[in-house]
Amino acid sequence: MGALVIPLNARRIAEIVGGELLGLDPQQDGPVIEHVTTDSREAGEATLFVAKPGEVTDGHRFVAAAFAAGSPLALVEREVAADDGSVHPSVRVPDVVEAMGTLASWVVRQLRQDNGLKVVAVTGSVGKTTTKDLLRAIFSEMGPTVAPQGSYNGEVGVPLTVFRTDATTEYLVVEMGATHIGNISYLCRMVSPDVGTVLCVGSAHAGEFGGVENIAIAKGEMVESLSADGVAILNDDDDRVRRMHTRTQAPVVFFGTGETSTLPEVPAARVWADRISTDDDGHPSLDLHFPGGTVHRVVSGLIGEHHVSNILAAASAAFMAGVPSETIADVLQGLGPGSRWRMERTERPDGVTILNDAYNANPQSMAGALQTLARMGGPQDSPRHRRTWAVLGEMYELGDSSVEEHNRLGSLVVRYNISRLLAVGPLARPTYVTALLEGSWGEEAAWVEDLEAAEAFLAENLRAGDIVLFKSSNSAGLKTLGDRVAAAGQGGRA
């Protein structure tokens, strides 16, 4: 649930969103609103209930429940009658989601005018939530900061994030996701970022977009939206992102590994890393270089060298938003994940280590997680070697490349010398088959049809010292399997 920057009465809300008042005297101001929610269970005094239509249910069905809980006003697309035949006090609009965006845009403009709000936006196929969490931690050292809960990164989640601001908020971090061309342009029009960051272009949602090049078009909408007074933060290690420098009027800052830019002819500042290493627990260390020559050694609390790119992105965006490099480095030192199921580590009392990275998955993040797992297992001839398990579920929204990408995972498992593979679900079967063929494995690889079978298999086969990675797309459910397997050892999260 969000709070409005200043309380607004019903008539003023109707004016802002271009709506029609229902069940209220149009000559009166109507009830005052201080909070906004799309969940009737959060409804209460001074709360605007947004009756959002959804794929599963329709928010209009819950208008009565919201009023019963104390809401004095609803945002609706059609009239909703109360039990006594009267109309619930409402603002009617053609599209409640668009109206939410319009109201959110008004809130951002008000905060910029009154409080000098800075908006920093992040998009990319991989790493958005981790980068957002790093930015939240950095900006919180400077002043009141609001960032999304979980992965609130769409046309509903971004307004709900904006509605969590108040009159004291100085920094707003916005995560932007997309499933179609035009989504990010819409979100950028809503919040007008001062700093826009593009992390990478991968094959997540390739099926919906119709190919990776269309994903690049969509992600680049971030920097196209920036004014000449903004700053575009681009990943120099990703060719498709690097080329977005031609799509913005804003000054460009590249981030990447190594001192030299891939495009030395482009006038751009650079934040870069070298002396990168990973300890036995998977925590990356790096020398973090800022424009002007300042260097800080950072040992991250994140797990996996692939997070170096997210660290660089967050450091770049924060620096260009005015945060001193010393503050950035101090906050990043030892900072772990800020959201659940992102390389979340649990040590069970029986000596089994769980790495639950199953909030989401695509081919790029799968590869990074497997590489980290292999490094944590150590060389096979080393005294510190531990048996590694890759419990891999299905990756969705890959379109025609789905079988190919699941096949490639099987090859990676073999290439990284992962000790054991357990593939879970029908779409993941090609991962098992490819690993079996490439590795000439016997009992090292297995496939099961569902989570229950996977849980039983692991209960029978895990032993002390094992490191177990859980990775899948969110809806495949391996994050809950990882939680159950972690709890089976009665351990606590690290």
Side-chain angles (χ1 to χ4, degrees), residues 7 91 311 337:
V91 175
I311 293 168

Side-chain angles (χ1 to χ4, degrees), residues 78-79 134 155 160 187 240 281 289 301 316 331 367 393 404 432:
R78 62 179 184 269
E79 187 177 285
L134 296 176
E155 58 186 3
L160 288 177
L187 296 174
R240 290 185 177 90
D281 291 323
H289 298 254
S316 304
V331 174
E404 177 186 354
Y432 158 72

Side-chain angles (χ1 to χ4, degrees), residues 138-451:
I138 294 168
F139 288 132
S140 293
E141 288 294 307
M142 302 295 292
T145 299
V146 169
Q149 298 173 318
S151 290
Y152 273 23
N153 60 22
E155 58 186 3
V156 174
V158 170
L160 288 177
T161 298
V162 170
F163 296 147
R164 292 178 52 236
T165 60
D166 61 31
T168 70
T169 305
E170 297 178 20
Y171 299 94
L172 173 63
V173 181
V174 181
E175 179 181 335
M176 294 186 179
T179 55
H180 298 92
I181 289 174
N183 289 157
I184 292 175
S185 288
Y186 170 76
L187 296 174
C188 287
R189 289 194 299 272
M190 187 188 303
V191 300
S192 301
D194 300 292
V195 179
T197 308
V198 185
L199 303 174
C200 60
V201 173
S203 53
H205 304 294
E208 292 176 287
F209 276 100
V212 175
E213 291 305 323
N214 283 339
I215 296 174
I217 291 172
K219 300 301 183 187
E221 292 169 2
M222 170 75 76
V223 297
E224 287 178 344
S225 74
L226 298 171
S227 72
D229 295 327
V231 182
I233 309 292
L234 299 177
N235 184 356
D236 191 35
D237 293 337
D238 185 303
D239 181 58
R240 290 185 177 90
V241 175
R242 183 191 313 121
R243 283 184 270 146
M244 292 177 189
H245 76 90
T246 64
R247 296 171 58 182
T248 185
Q249 60 181 323
V252 171
V253 174
F254 285 127
F255 65 89
T257 53
E259 180 177 5
T260 306
S261 172
T262 311
L263 296 173
E265 69 277 11
V266 177
R270 183 172 178 81
V271 176
W272 55 283
D274 64 356
R275 294 182 61 222
I276 300 168
S277 61
T278 306
D279 65 20
D280 292 348
D281 291 323
H283 301 301
S285 302
L286 61 147
D287 278 359
L288 185 55
H289 298 254
F290 290 89
T294 305
V295 185
H296 300 277
R297 185 69 179 168
V298 172
V299 180
S300 176
L302 298 170
I303 297 176
E305 189 174 307
H306 57 286
H307 282 305
V308 168
S309 182
N310 300 327
I311 293 168
L312 285 169
S316 304
F319 187 74
M320 298 312 297
V323 183
S325 65
E326 294 82 2
T327 301
I328 295 170
D330 287 347
V331 174
L332 292 175
Q333 193 72 28
L335 184 63
S339 299
R340 289 215 56 204
W341 304 298
R342 274 83 170 180
M343 275 297 183
E344 184 177 77
R345 179 172 179 161
T346 302
E347 298 290 346
R348 295 190 348 183
D350 60 2
V352 174
T353 298
I354 304 297
L355 298 176
N356 194 337
D357 196 38
Y359 182 81
N360 220 332
N362 55 46
Q364 293 74 32
S365 64
M366 280 280 199
L370 288 171
Q371 186 178 53
T372 298
L373 176 66
R375 288 179 175 173
M376 291 180 67
Q380 293 192 4
D381 57 354
S382 166
R384 72 174 186 86
H385 174 69
R386 300 175 65 183
R387 192 169 67 156
T388 51
W389 283 81
V391 182
L392 305 182
E394 299 167 320
M395 296 182 292
Y396 296 136
E397 300 170 346
L398 296 178
D400 293 340
S401 65
S402 180
V403 173
E404 177 186 354
E405 294 294 356
H406 283 92
N407 279 334
R408 186 173 290 126
L409 277 186
S411 299
L412 282 178
V413 169
V414 174
R415 185 183 310 166
Y416 288 141
N417 290 315
I418 305 300
S419 308
R420 298 287 186 272
L421 166 68
L422 178 61
V424 184
L427 286 181
R429 186 171 174 80
T431 301
Y432 158 72
V433 172
T434 300
L436 199 64
L437 293 175
E438 290 206 12
S440 300
W441 285 4
E443 297 180 354
E444 290 91 344
W447 172 81
V448 293
E449 190 167 358
D450 54 36
L451 300 178

Side-chain angles (χ1 to χ4, degrees), residues 27-50:
Q27 303 305 314
Q28 301 296 318
D29 288 338
V32 173
I33 296 300
E34 299 177 2
H35 308 283
V36 182
T37 186
T38 58
D39 188 340
S40 61
R41 294 168 296 184
E42 295 180 347
E45 184 179 351
T47 300
L48 172 68
F49 173 66
V50 179

